[in-house]
Amino acid sequence: MRRIMSILLAVLLIGSAVAAAEFSLLPAEPVEKTVEQKLYNMLPILDSFARNLGIEGEGIYDANDPQFFWTQLYLASVNWGLENPKVALATGGVELGVPASVMKEFAAASFLGNTELPEIPPTVSGIRYDAAADTYFVAMSDAGQTYVVIERYAESAEGILSVGVGQYNTESGERLGGLFVRLHAVTGISNGEDSAFPYAVEVAQVESDEDFEGLLVTDCEIRYEEPEEIPAPTATPVPYIELTMGSRGDEVNALQTRLNELGYDAGKADGIFGSSTRQAVRYFQDAIGVPQNGVAGVSLQEMLFYADAPEFVTYVQIQKGATGIRVEKLQERLRALGYLAAPVDGDFGTRTVEAVKLFQAAVDLKEDGVAGIRTLKALAKKNAPKCDSFIKLYRGDTGPRVKEMQVQLNKLGFLAKKPSSSYDKNTVAAVKAFINAIGKTGDGKTADKALLKQLFDYVAPTPTPVVTPTPEVTPTPEVTPTPEVTPTPEVTPTVAPESVITPEQLLEFVTLLNTKMATTYTDVEAVTWLQQMLVVLPQTGVYDATTQAAVSAFQVANSWTDTGLADAQVIDALIPLIP
């Protein structure tokens, strides 16, 4: 196999990037590629199949065979490493580090869109997985003594290509054999710009005379182009030194200037390594598939100053399993629009998937949870729609969606403290108190859509006023000369409610309330106010057992010590709730 053009590095690295960095930037409209240009991008995959299957068809195309599956991905990785020596050197030149996202692209292109990577069987040597780095390390190898040429193709109306591939000896040019491959156009992308590979292989087998029967065939000769001499690095500080937050000097200025040239926006080249420079470094690390720690090490600067270093790409597809700064930016945008309340962690997990689906539904896009180019562009618009539905909230969530729930809990008297925008222990207690108030059970650590709807529809019960019955008017009896003496009926005494607190405790409560509200309530008026605020019925003006129980419940709901006494803490929490 001959060396691939240096442009393939940029194409593959673009495929491994994760999400849009600055939502305000708009890329140029993609240019329509010809079929032959798209087939050129498939050469590393087709070359891998030629060596995996063998000239005589020793191997059999089988996506379910882990041995065949991982041999194919190993060979595709070797092709990538041979044509991108700077990437291989970044890992010491012995092993090539292939990010899992790139390996999934090899799998999708080789096996009709399959991105599920099975375990590597022990029979496949030369490749291992590092879970901590989410990277596959591949033992480097030479390219062998063969290369491939796409010699013919036939295109169907459905976008399926039948392709004839010849395998040749590198030294003699002798044709050793050939393959027949059937390719499907990758759907859901624009001209193949969302992926390094515009087609996915459905069938790969040794060629036969019947392969193109009844098809309109186009002859061609598509092969790897000989690359130009690898250019020397542009003028840079020599030797490189590691640069990180707080670094200063000419080295930092040169780093910032180069990052800006490539579109990574390090801010003003002022020689001070600040947050903008660190962010730009992380984006470049994302582009070359290395851990995004924001530190410009020696090897990173070597790659940065090569003339063909990858430029910044604004919109690149991102999906579940991706990590890094591009995911962080996606999450920040979803949070700002109200589709996500989980803290920004740079991990495209289940909750980010659900948030993307909600947004896609709002803008009439396919609800697949994959942040593709159309989704990212829609998110970038200044008038992108905000979420108009409830989303499930969890303890630990933060942001405006949590605050709106807290405001409602505060309004209804379940949360005494001011909204903090953080689903903390006080909020948990308030949610639990509301759940109890509507006759349900729960620990308050989550608030799903149904519960939030009930919360915002909830109307607190209105206190029933105590009605004093109007006494009946007894008609004046007629006076008779000798009135009979009517005996006075016995009066049954009414049992008045009893106070359950001491006079000293009552005096303390009344004094506190009058001081804080600048009033002169009597004992009865003060207790009646307390009963009204806590919706205690009937409002007797006596600090009875019912009133004490209501105060206790209020204290428990706010995670305070349960004393049953309306102390300063209780009064301070109730005063802001006065209508």
Side-chain angles (χ1 to χ4, degrees):
M1 184 190 80
R2 297 185 179 181
R3 291 293 177 93
I4 306 174
M5 289 173 49
S6 60
I7 192 173
L8 184 57
L9 170 61
V11 175
L12 284 171
L13 290 176
I14 287 171
S16 68
V18 193
E22 299 294 339
F23 286 94
S24 61
L25 301 177
L26 292 175
E29 291 297 320
V31 178
E32 178 68 35
K33 290 183 178 180
T34 66
V35 171
E36 294 185 10
Q37 287 173 325
K38 294 178 183 179
L39 284 174
Y40 182 87
N41 288 350
M42 295 299 296
L43 281 171
I45 299 298
L46 299 179
D47 179 85
S48 303
F49 272 120
R51 288 185 282 153
N52 196 4
L53 292 169
I55 299 173
E56 302 296 333
E58 295 89 344
I60 298 176
Y61 180 92
D62 185 357
N64 297 317
D65 178 2
Q67 175 78 24
F68 184 84
F69 186 99
W70 279 108
T71 300
Q72 172 63 18
L73 267 56
Y74 170 80
L75 293 170
S77 300
V78 169
N79 284 349
W80 185 48
L82 288 170
E83 304 311 324
N84 301 291
K86 295 189 295 298
V87 178
L89 287 173
T91 60
V94 178
E95 286 186 317
L96 170 68
V98 182
S101 57
V102 176
M103 195 67 79
K104 288 179 180 180
E105 289 203 26
F106 295 156
S110 300
F111 301 106
L112 200 59
N114 176 28
T115 58
E116 296 296 326
L117 302 180
E119 289 189 13
I120 303 171
T123 52
V124 177
S125 59
I127 184 169
R128 62 184 178 84
Y129 177 60
D130 186 330
D134 196 23
T135 298
Y136 290 86
F137 289 94
V138 178
M140 293 303 296
S141 172
D142 60 37
Q145 300 300 315
T146 63
Y147 66 95
V148 295
V149 177
I150 300 175
E151 299 171 329
R152 65 187 64 85
Y153 65 89
E155 185 175 16
S156 72
E158 293 78 19
I160 300 175
L161 285 183
S162 296
V163 179
V165 181
Q167 188 177 33
Y168 291 80
N169 182 279
T170 302
E171 294 183 358
S172 66
E174 177 188 1
R175 192 178 191 278
L176 305 175
L179 299 178
F180 171 74
V181 183
R182 188 155 58 239
L183 303 172
H184 286 243
V186 176
T187 59
I189 65 173
S190 174
N191 301 321
E193 295 299 327
D194 295 349
S195 171
F197 305 107
Y199 297 105
V201 176
E202 178 191 13
V203 171
Q205 61 192 33
V206 173
E207 65 185 358
S208 69
D209 295 336
E210 294 80 24
D211 291 338
F212 290 89
E213 282 189 359
L215 299 177
L216 180 61
V217 176
T218 299
D219 292 324
C220 60
E221 186 177 352
I222 304 172
R223 64 173 70 192
Y224 291 123
E225 299 179 17
E226 293 292 345
E228 300 176 2
E229 189 97 12
I230 295 177
T234 59
T236 59
V238 180
Y240 295 114
I241 60 172
E242 182 175 281
L243 302 173
T244 186
M245 283 284 286
S247 297
R248 293 172 178 260
D250 293 341
E251 295 87 352
V252 176
N253 189 292
L255 174 74
Q256 293 168 325
T257 300
R258 180 58 174 157
L259 286 167
N260 288 336
E261 287 175 356
L262 296 173
Y264 289 93
D265 190 13
K268 181 181 178 181
D270 57 4
I272 302 173
F273 197 125
S275 57
S276 295
T277 305
R278 182 177 185 274
Q279 177 173 282
V281 169
R282 290 189 67 199
Y283 278 121
F284 183 72
Q285 288 172 325
D286 172 76
I288 61 176
V290 299
Q292 301 168 27
N293 60 6
V295 175
V298 173
S299 60
L300 180 138
Q301 292 178 68
E302 288 175 348
M303 299 175 68
L304 178 68
F305 281 98
Y306 273 103
D308 59 348
E311 296 183 358
F312 174 75
V313 178
T314 305
Y315 299 120
V316 183
Q317 180 170 296
I318 173 177
Q319 60 190 14
K320 185 175 183 180
T323 58
I325 189 170
R326 293 180 178 269
V327 182
E328 292 171 17
K329 294 299 180 181
L330 172 69
Q331 291 172 329
E332 287 175 3
R333 184 60 172 162
L334 289 169
R335 280 172 56 87
L337 294 174
Y339 294 92
L340 182 67
V344 173
D345 60 3
D347 186 355
F348 201 129
T350 301
R351 294 190 66 187
T352 305
V353 170
E354 293 305 315
V356 171
K357 286 182 179 180
L358 273 177
F359 177 76
Q360 289 171 328
V363 293
D364 296 324
L365 292 175
K366 181 181 178 182
E367 299 172 41
D368 57 6
V370 176
I373 306 305
R374 295 178 64 191
T375 299
L376 294 171
K377 284 185 176 181
L379 275 168
K381 293 180 179 178
K382 290 184 178 180
N383 63 344
K386 292 188 176 182
C387 184
D388 59 1
S389 63
F390 295 117
I391 63 173
K392 188 173 182 179
L393 302 176
Y394 297 78
R395 179 171 185 175
D397 283 355
T398 59
R401 300 313 301 265
V402 175
K403 184 175 181 179
E404 69 183 12
M405 177 182 72
Q406 291 175 323
V407 169
Q408 182 68 1
L409 287 167
N410 191 290
K411 178 181 177 182
L412 296 174
F414 294 99
L415 178 65
K417 295 191 175 181
K418 293 182 180 180
S420 63
S421 300
S422 176
Y423 201 145
D424 52 17
K425 66 177 183 179
N426 294 320
T427 309
V428 170
V431 172
K432 184 177 180 180
F434 173 71
I435 293 172
N436 294 337
I438 60 176
K440 296 187 177 181
T441 58
D443 59 11
K445 295 180 180 179
T446 60
D448 61 20
K449 297 179 182 180
L451 181 67
L452 289 170
K453 185 178 187 307
Q454 286 181 288
L455 176 66
F456 281 85
D457 291 342
Y458 183 75
V459 178
T462 304
T464 304
V466 178
V467 179
T468 303
T470 303
E472 295 183 4
V473 179
T474 305
T476 304
E478 295 182 5
V479 179
T480 60
T482 55
E484 295 182 2
V485 178
T486 304
T488 302
E490 295 183 4
V491 178
T492 304
T494 302
V495 179
E498 294 182 1
S499 176
V500 295
I501 63 174
T502 66
E504 292 78 11
Q505 291 171 330
L506 177 61
L507 176 61
E508 183 179 358
F509 160 64
V510 175
T511 302
L512 275 172
L513 180 62
N514 284 332
T515 301
K516 291 180 178 294
M517 293 186 61
T519 60
T520 56
Y521 282 160
T522 64
D523 294 357
V524 172
E525 290 171 337
V527 175
T528 300
W529 177 87
L530 179 64
Q531 292 170 333
Q532 289 174 342
M533 296 303 296
L534 295 175
V535 195
V536 176
L537 300 175
Q539 294 162 11
T540 62
V542 177
Y543 205 121
D544 53 16
T546 304
T547 305
Q548 186 182 50
V551 173
S552 293
F554 187 72
Q555 290 171 323
V556 171
N558 288 281
S559 300
W560 301 332
T561 302
D562 176 9
T563 65
L565 297 175
D567 54 16
Q569 193 175 37
V570 172
I571 294 171
D572 287 340
L574 291 176
I575 288 175
L577 304 181
I578 297 175

Short mmCIF file of all heavy atoms in Angstrom, two decimals, residues 1 21 54 94 110 131 150 167 183 188 265 302 337 350 397 442 536 570:
data_model
loop_
_atom_site.label_atom_id
_atom_site.label_comp_id
_atom_site.label_asym_id
_atom_site.label_seq_id
_atom_site.Cartn_x
_atom_site.Cartn_y
_atom_site.Cartn_z
N MET A 1 0.83 -1.19 0.00
CA MET A 1 0.00 0.00 0.00
C MET A 1 0.87 1.24 0.00
O MET A 1 1.80 1.35 0.77
CB MET A 1 -0.90 0.02 1.23
CG MET A 1 -1.87 1.18 1.25
SD MET A 1 -2.70 1.31 2.85
CE MET A 1 -1.40 2.13 3.77
N ALA A 21 -17.56 23.73 19.10
CA ALA A 21 -16.93 24.43 20.21
C ALA A 21 -17.58 25.79 20.44
O ALA A 21 -17.94 26.11 21.56
CB ALA A 21 -15.45 24.62 19.91
N GLY A 54 -7.53 -11.90 1.91
CA GLY A 54 -6.54 -12.68 1.17
C GLY A 54 -6.85 -12.74 -0.32
O GLY A 54 -8.00 -12.56 -0.75
N VAL A 94 6.12 3.08 19.03
CA VAL A 94 5.99 1.63 19.14
C VAL A 94 4.53 1.22 19.01
O VAL A 94 4.18 0.28 18.29
CB VAL A 94 6.56 1.14 20.49
CG1 VAL A 94 6.37 -0.37 20.63
CG2 VAL A 94 8.03 1.51 20.59
N SER A 110 -16.61 -0.40 7.97
CA SER A 110 -16.30 -1.78 7.56
C SER A 110 -17.50 -2.71 7.65
O SER A 110 -17.59 -3.68 6.89
CB SER A 110 -15.16 -2.33 8.44
OG SER A 110 -13.99 -1.56 8.31
N ALA A 131 -9.09 1.36 29.14
CA ALA A 131 -10.39 1.93 29.51
C ALA A 131 -10.23 3.34 30.07
O ALA A 131 -11.08 4.21 29.84
CB ALA A 131 -11.10 1.02 30.51
N ILE A 150 -9.08 0.98 -7.01
CA ILE A 150 -10.50 0.82 -7.38
C ILE A 150 -10.58 0.93 -8.89
O ILE A 150 -10.24 1.97 -9.48
CB ILE A 150 -11.37 1.88 -6.69
CG1 ILE A 150 -11.25 1.76 -5.17
CG2 ILE A 150 -12.83 1.76 -7.12
CD1 ILE A 150 -11.99 2.85 -4.41
N GLN A 167 -5.83 -5.81 -6.38
CA GLN A 167 -4.70 -5.81 -5.45
C GLN A 167 -3.43 -6.05 -6.26
O GLN A 167 -3.34 -6.99 -7.05
CB GLN A 167 -4.87 -6.89 -4.39
CG GLN A 167 -3.83 -6.83 -3.28
CD GLN A 167 -4.08 -7.88 -2.21
OE1 GLN A 167 -4.56 -8.96 -2.51
NE2 GLN A 167 -3.74 -7.57 -0.97
N LEU A 183 -21.17 -1.30 -1.36
CA LEU A 183 -21.15 -0.19 -0.42
C LEU A 183 -22.51 0.50 -0.36
O LEU A 183 -23.18 0.66 -1.39
CB LEU A 183 -20.10 0.85 -0.82
CG LEU A 183 -18.65 0.38 -0.97
CD1 LEU A 183 -17.80 1.51 -1.56
CD2 LEU A 183 -18.10 -0.02 0.39
N GLY A 188 -28.12 10.27 6.68
CA GLY A 188 -28.19 11.22 7.77
C GLY A 188 -27.02 12.19 7.81
O GLY A 188 -26.84 12.90 8.78
N ASP A 265 -8.82 29.85 18.43
CA ASP A 265 -9.19 31.02 19.23
C ASP A 265 -8.63 30.98 20.64
O ASP A 265 -9.33 30.72 21.62
CB ASP A 265 -10.72 31.17 19.29
CG ASP A 265 -11.13 32.51 19.92
OD1 ASP A 265 -10.25 33.40 20.06
OD2 ASP A 265 -12.31 32.67 20.26
N GLU A 302 5.03 19.99 19.02
CA GLU A 302 5.64 19.48 17.79
C GLU A 302 4.57 19.25 16.73
O GLU A 302 4.74 19.62 15.56
CB GLU A 302 6.38 18.18 18.08
CG GLU A 302 7.67 18.36 18.87
CD GLU A 302 8.29 17.02 19.24
OE1 GLU A 302 7.60 15.98 19.07
OE2 GLU A 302 9.45 17.00 19.71
N LEU A 337 -30.65 26.57 27.68
CA LEU A 337 -31.99 26.56 27.07
C LEU A 337 -33.00 25.77 27.90
O LEU A 337 -34.16 25.67 27.52
CB LEU A 337 -31.91 25.96 25.66
CG LEU A 337 -31.11 26.78 24.64
CD1 LEU A 337 -30.98 26.02 23.32
CD2 LEU A 337 -31.76 28.14 24.39
N THR A 350 -26.65 9.24 29.38
CA THR A 350 -28.08 9.07 29.11
C THR A 350 -28.84 10.37 29.25
O THR A 350 -29.72 10.68 28.44
CB THR A 350 -28.65 8.02 30.09
OG1 THR A 350 -27.95 6.79 29.91
CG2 THR A 350 -30.13 7.81 29.83
N ASP A 397 -28.56 18.29 40.93
CA ASP A 397 -28.76 19.14 39.75
C ASP A 397 -28.63 20.61 40.15
O ASP A 397 -28.82 20.98 41.31
CB ASP A 397 -30.13 18.89 39.14
CG ASP A 397 -30.18 17.60 38.34
OD1 ASP A 397 -29.13 16.96 38.19
OD2 ASP A 397 -31.27 17.22 37.86
N GLY A 442 -42.39 9.20 48.96
CA GLY A 442 -41.16 9.41 48.19
C GLY A 442 -40.11 10.02 49.09
O GLY A 442 -40.42 10.60 50.14
N VAL A 536 -53.86 26.06 60.17
CA VAL A 536 -54.38 25.26 61.29
C VAL A 536 -55.86 25.60 61.48
O VAL A 536 -56.22 26.78 61.60
CB VAL A 536 -53.61 25.55 62.58
CG1 VAL A 536 -54.22 24.80 63.76
CG2 VAL A 536 -52.14 25.19 62.42
N VAL A 570 -38.60 29.82 62.82
CA VAL A 570 -39.91 29.60 62.22
C VAL A 570 -40.53 30.93 61.81
O VAL A 570 -41.07 31.08 60.70
CB VAL A 570 -40.83 28.85 63.20
CG1 VAL A 570 -42.26 28.80 62.67
CG2 VAL A 570 -40.30 27.45 63.47
#
